[in-house]
Amino acid sequence: MAESRTPDQVVARAARATDLADLDAAVSDCFGCPRLVRWRQEVACVRRAAFRDQEYWGRPVPGFGPGDARIAILGLAPAAHGGNRTGRIFTGDRSGDVLFAALHRAGLANQPTSVAADDGLALRDTRIFSAVRCAPPDNKPTPDERDTCAPWLHREVTLIRPTLRVVVALGAFAWAAWWPVLRQVYEQRPPSPRPAFGHGAHWSGAAVPDLLGCYHVSQQNTFTGRLTPGMLDDVFGRAKQLAEVD
């Protein structure tokens, strides 16, 4: 498979993806953002002491979940020692522990933990992906990196568009990343002014998925009590209701 090394190549390769398997493989071969490539590879080489005996994935992290999902969860980017290590989004870190426990309580995951790509986890009616597919330094992608990566997000939404009904944006970055999808995938003008992000925020438009805001499942939010299990349960309960998922 040809690697994607420039923004134009990312656009072209994303557009050629015929299904999710093809898209996931193409995402994993992206080298479009030099700073992110250097960082993800450095992390995979140096490793955290607790994982020094493990081989890191060290590549962009594709989405995870069925192609007929009615609910999408949109995050910021993979964690350096989570998805960048395991190769699966929100897997192997404490943010994932919180997220998948909530999805399991909601009946959207078959188990409450996500520790490795081969641990048997399966999602129901839900697909998870991120706005930026590589782990960024300090969890802060640049605007150019966000824009270079956007074609992967746009193509992924296009492929699940027939069934997609609700998008849960984890944090303000993901919330902001959704508006260009309306123009690129649904050929609709984003609202102006943009609705403000907030936990429990809800925006709906004509013939597009509903958008729900949720504080990110970061340790900063969960350890301080800004985001509690009950708050997550409320968001996923609302998502299920809007998506008409039992």
Side-chain angles (χ1 to χ4, degrees), residues 38-47 54-59 80-81 84-85:
R38 289 193 299 270
W39 174 251
R40 80 193 191 203
Q41 292 177 342
E42 178 183 342
V43 170
C45 180
V46 176
R47 308 177 190 178
Q54 298 184 20
E55 182 177 351
Y56 275 53
W57 171 253
R59 285 179 170 269
H81 302 282
N84 189 58
R85 173 173 62 88

Side-chain angles (χ1 to χ4, degrees), residues 62-126:
F64 175 65
D68 60 352
R70 298 178 68 85
I71 299 169
I73 299 173
L74 176 59
L76 191 164
H81 302 282
N84 189 58
R85 173 173 62 88
T86 64
R88 192 171 70 195
I89 191 70
F90 281 112
T91 296
D93 59 37
R94 291 186 176 179
S95 294
D97 292 342
V98 173
L99 176 62
F100 287 106
L103 291 175
H104 183 253
R105 292 194 301 272
L108 299 174
N110 68 328
Q111 61 190 41
T113 58
S114 180
V115 297
D118 59 355
D119 62 6
L121 176 67
L123 300 181
R124 180 175 74 89
D125 293 310
T126 305

Side-chain angles (χ1 to χ4, degrees), residues 74-76 130-132 143 146-147 150 153-154 167-184 190-191 194-198 201 203 211-214:
L74 176 59
L76 191 164
S130 56
V132 173
R146 175 202 61 202
D147 294 345
L153 171 62
H154 299 164
V167 175
V168 177
L170 298 180
F173 189 97
W175 180 268
W178 177 251
W179 305 119
V181 177
L182 296 182
R183 189 182 301 276
Q184 295 297 323
R194 302 287 191 269
F197 169 76
W203 177 85
L211 179 65
L212 293 176
C214 179

Side-chain angles (χ1 to χ4, degrees), residues 1-4 13-14 17 21-30 60 152:
M1 177 182 297
E3 299 170 344
S4 300
R13 184 61 188 92
D22 186 22
L23 180 70
D24 291 349
V27 166
S28 300
D29 264 338
C30 185
W152 302 124

Side-chain angles (χ1 to χ4, degrees), residues 144-156:
D144 283 346
E145 289 163 352
R146 175 202 61 202
D147 294 345
T148 297
C149 206
W152 302 124
L153 171 62
H154 299 164
R155 187 58 181 163
E156 191 151 7

Side-chain angles (χ1 to χ4, degrees), residues 2 7 14 19 29 33 71 86 88 91 133 136 159-160 174 187 190-191 195 202 218 223 229 240:
D19 54 28
D29 264 338
C33 299
I71 299 169
T86 64
R88 192 171 70 195
T91 296
R133 304 304 170 102
L159 291 170
I160 65 173
E187 299 181 341
H202 178 203
S218 65
F223 282 11
K240 288 177 64 178

